[in-house]
Amino acid sequence: MSVEFNHTIVLTRDRGKSARFLAHILGLGALARLVAAEVPVQADPHGRQPRRINRDDGGRGVYFLDPAGHGLEVITRPYGSDWDSPLNGVTEEVPGAAGG
């Protein structure tokens, strides 16, 4: 699956470090790479649902911090693309995920 930026804000202290991290994580299997790298993941931007992903709009969404502490989000469906999805509000555990 290719990566498409829906909206992007990348403020960083170390451009090279953050760029390398993003290039690695946003390749195929981003969630698997986050788990393998022991990067804590959560289903929400506030970290209230650690080691989980959200299923909003029938897709998958995950939040995590880059090495400089900047919050990032990866979603597979745009916000509001399926208001009637029975998966809205549902989260799933990520086996092997690091805690947050």
Side-chain angles (χ1 to χ4, degrees), residues 39-86:
V39 174
V41 299
Q42 54 267 345
D44 65 292
H46 307 290
R48 296 184 189 118
Q49 300 177 69
R51 296 178 298 282
R52 302 186 74 78
I53 62 169
N54 72 59
R55 297 301 314 276
D56 293 342
D57 295 303
R60 290 181 170 78
V62 64
Y63 296 82
F64 56 97
L65 300 178
D66 79 358
H70 301 289
L72 300 171
E73 167 192 55
V74 173
I75 56 174
T76 61
R77 298 281 308 255
Y79 296 126
S81 61
D82 189 351
W83 293 106
D84 297 322
S85 173

